[in-house]
Amino acid sequence: GGLNLPAIGWQGDDVNILAKYCFSRAKDPEDYESIKEAYAKAQDEMIQAQDRATGNYNRFWDERNYLNLVDKIKASVFIVHGINDWNVKTNQCIPFFEALEKQTTKDFKILVVDNGSTDGSVEWLKEREIPSIFLPENTGFSGAVNVGIRAADTPYVILLNNDTKVAPHYVEALERAMDRSEKIFSVSSKMIQMYHPDLMDDAGDMYSVLGWAFQRGVGRPEKLYKKSCRVFTACAGAAIYRREVFETIGYFDEMHFAYLEDIDVGYRAKLYGYDNVFCPEAVVYHVGSGTSGSKYNSFKVKLAARNNVYLNYKNMRAWQLLLNSPCLLVGTFVKFLFFKKMGFGKDYVSGFLEGIRTLKNCKRVPSFKGRIQREIGIQLELIAGTAVYVYEFSRRQAAKLRAKA
């Protein structure tokens, strides 16, 4: 056995012949039979692509040389691993990486930011030679993605949770959406529930005058979300961002550690005049709560309550805080009752009070020309976001009643 060493300028044996005799399943007739048709089709495509007249296959191989595309790479795909990965273990990430290998475009590169994990992830990543940055300790989601964004040299950066699986056109669709306008800061993907693929997980994040952030479309039929539109912010679990804009508006706020940091940075972008949009063609399947372990837990409730205080204080000036204060107080009280019923009332109060105590450490968005007009527009969006929440909540409840009937 073995391969020939071809003369310079010639590729030696036909690639289809080499492929056939190097095919690992060739000696297993039963296994080969199950994929024979697809294998034969792939062989025919390879044969057609070769220069059969001269036998010079330099062009054939050169077209498949990824090094020729280095200067055309448009996006870096960042995966953060090790925040609190109770449900996502390293071997469960294999389908994640396999899906990225099957993308219809190759003009992107992968970078894993290992966030101080202690579950063997470092060894697993090194063994497979996956490009990675290894942080000595857990810096939270915000700290980890900031490290990745600053390390990037591409126009766009894609953030992707490690409990997701992307469709083949995912990266291409996100890049195409970003190319439409330089005023687009982020594009949110169409996140579908992994184990209920007929239901939405997130069609862009929304915010309301009640101070409630929510996933647009969650729990509703995915077929209802097929049109691109502006959203309040992108969900950072699967989104693309314009890298250079971070230098203007600031990076993900590391005071948040985790939760609502994507709402915060998207809010800031809107104040600076940028848009956040939803792209229905960028499909990704999401397990959900793969990092924090469950939909609600003490850690998440406390941080979200604290970060909600930060979010409003940093992005709303005095007039808007005063205008929205009745609604914000009502929203806070309702959430307290909800979490009290769930057994997390003390955690919610603890997080809220911590937010009040540490407000002085927050960096508020500065005043600048044109901000008041954008604030008025955002205020209208907050009112509209409240209406969207009420509508979608009522539709989900109606669907549950129909299912019980």
Side-chain angles (χ1 to χ4, degrees):
L3 301 179
N4 294 338
L5 181 65
I8 296 175
W10 300 85
Q11 295 301 328
D13 289 323
D14 289 354
V15 67
N16 55 302
I17 295 175
L18 291 175
K20 182 175 181 180
Y21 287 101
C22 293
F23 184 44
S24 62
R25 294 177 173 177
K27 295 183 179 181
D28 189 342
E30 183 178 354
D31 192 17
Y32 175 72
E33 191 68 27
S34 65
I35 52 87
K36 181 171 65 175
E37 185 176 342
Y39 177 66
K41 182 180 178 181
Q43 283 254 310
D44 289 340
E45 291 174 354
M46 293 173 71
I47 292 170
Q48 294 299 320
Q50 298 172 51
D51 188 345
R52 312 298 292 182
T54 66
N56 186 333
Y57 301 151
N58 282 346
R59 180 180 176 184
F60 175 83
W61 294 112
D62 193 59
E63 288 174 347
R64 288 154 177 78
N65 185 356
Y66 76 94
L67 292 175
N68 295 334
L69 301 175
V70 167
D71 61 341
K72 299 178 181 178
I73 292 177
K74 297 172 69 175
S76 299
V77 180
F78 296 127
I79 302 98
V80 176
H81 182 78
I83 301 175
N84 259 314
D85 293 307
W86 301 330
N87 288 353
V88 182
K89 303 306 177 186
T90 47
N91 283 334
Q92 293 172 313
C93 293
I94 292 175
F96 171 93
F97 287 109
E98 289 177 343
L100 285 173
E101 290 176 0
K102 297 175 182 178
Q103 292 299 292
T104 54
T105 181
K106 303 300 179 184
D107 60 353
F108 68 94
K109 52 188 178 181
I110 296 173
L111 176 64
V112 175
V113 180
D114 184 274
N115 207 5
S117 66
T118 56
D119 61 353
S121 298
V122 172
E123 294 75 16
W124 190 89
L125 290 164
K126 287 181 177 179
E127 180 183 334
R128 288 159 178 77
E129 298 183 339
I130 297 173
S132 305
I133 295 175
F134 302 104
L135 302 182
E137 60 183 5
N138 188 347
T139 63
F141 181 83
S142 301
V145 296
N146 284 345
V147 168
I149 292 168
R150 290 188 174 103
D153 57 2
T154 51
Y156 307 143
V157 291
I158 296 173
L159 306 186
L160 200 54
N161 276 7
N162 55 5
D163 60 344
T164 59
K165 182 178 180 181
V166 297
H169 293 278
Y170 176 76
V171 173
E172 183 180 0
L174 287 179
E175 290 179 346
R176 190 166 58 244
M178 288 292 280
D179 288 341
R180 289 171 186 159
S181 171
E182 292 186 357
K183 297 304 291 181
I184 295 176
F185 168 60
S186 70
V187 177
S188 198
S189 60
K190 183 175 184 178
M191 300 179 75
I192 296 173
Q193 295 182 25
M194 180 80 78
Y195 302 118
H196 301 280
D198 58 327
L199 299 178
M200 286 296 304
D201 184 63
D202 195 299
D205 284 350
M206 304 294 286
Y207 200 49
S208 70
V209 291
L210 295 168
W212 297 353
F214 63 96
Q215 302 154 254
R216 189 174 75 101
V218 64
R220 304 203 67 214
E222 65 84 19
K223 63 184 179 181
L224 299 178
Y225 298 85
K226 294 186 176 181
K227 291 184 179 181
S228 178
C229 64
R230 286 187 178 90
V231 291
F232 196 83
T233 66
C235 172
I240 188 170
Y241 294 86
R242 195 174 301 275
R243 185 174 60 87
E244 64 179 12
V245 176
F246 287 103
E247 292 296 325
T248 301
I249 70 172
Y251 290 74
F252 287 90
D253 191 341
E254 296 182 21
M255 278 189 67
H256 280 237
F257 191 82
Y259 306 118
L260 299 180
E261 71 291 317
D262 46 5
I263 302 285
D264 173 60
V265 78
Y267 199 141
R268 261 184 282 143
K270 293 176 77 66
L271 287 170
Y272 279 88
Y274 292 95
D275 290 324
N276 305 299
V277 301
F278 166 65
C279 178
E281 293 81 20
V283 176
V284 55
Y285 298 92
H286 185 215
V287 173
S289 300
T291 295
S292 61
S294 64
K295 187 174 182 179
Y296 299 116
N297 57 64
S298 178
F299 173 79
K300 182 174 183 177
V301 170
K302 184 176 180 179
L303 261 63
R306 184 198 66 181
N307 294 346
N308 212 164
V309 176
Y310 292 165
L311 172 63
N312 295 324
Y313 177 73
K314 288 185 298 179
N315 294 290
M316 294 184 187
R317 287 193 291 189
W319 74 266
Q320 201 170 12
L321 284 170
L322 183 62
L323 177 65
N324 292 328
S325 58
C327 293
L328 292 174
L329 289 172
V330 170
T332 300
F333 183 65
V334 171
K335 280 202 289 187
F336 165 70
L337 294 178
F338 173 79
F339 286 121
K340 184 180 179 182
K341 183 178 179 181
M342 298 286 291
F344 299 112
K346 291 183 179 179
D347 298 304
Y348 182 79
V349 172
S350 175
F352 179 82
L353 293 177
E354 182 184 340
I356 298 296
R357 287 195 304 269
T358 54
L359 273 182
K360 61 182 182 294
N361 300 324
C362 291
K363 183 179 179 181
R364 304 190 75 182
V365 178
S367 297
F368 45 78
K369 186 178 180 180
R371 175 169 173 171
I372 185 64
Q373 292 92 332
R374 293 166 191 155
E375 286 175 323
I376 293 171
I378 289 171
Q379 185 63 32
L380 295 175
E381 285 191 60
L382 295 177
I383 296 170
T386 308
V388 171
Y389 178 85
V390 171
Y391 172 76
E392 293 195 339
F393 178 79
S394 64
R395 299 300 295 177
R396 286 194 299 272
Q397 295 305 111
K400 288 180 182 179
L401 291 174
R402 287 196 299 271
K404 292 180 179 179

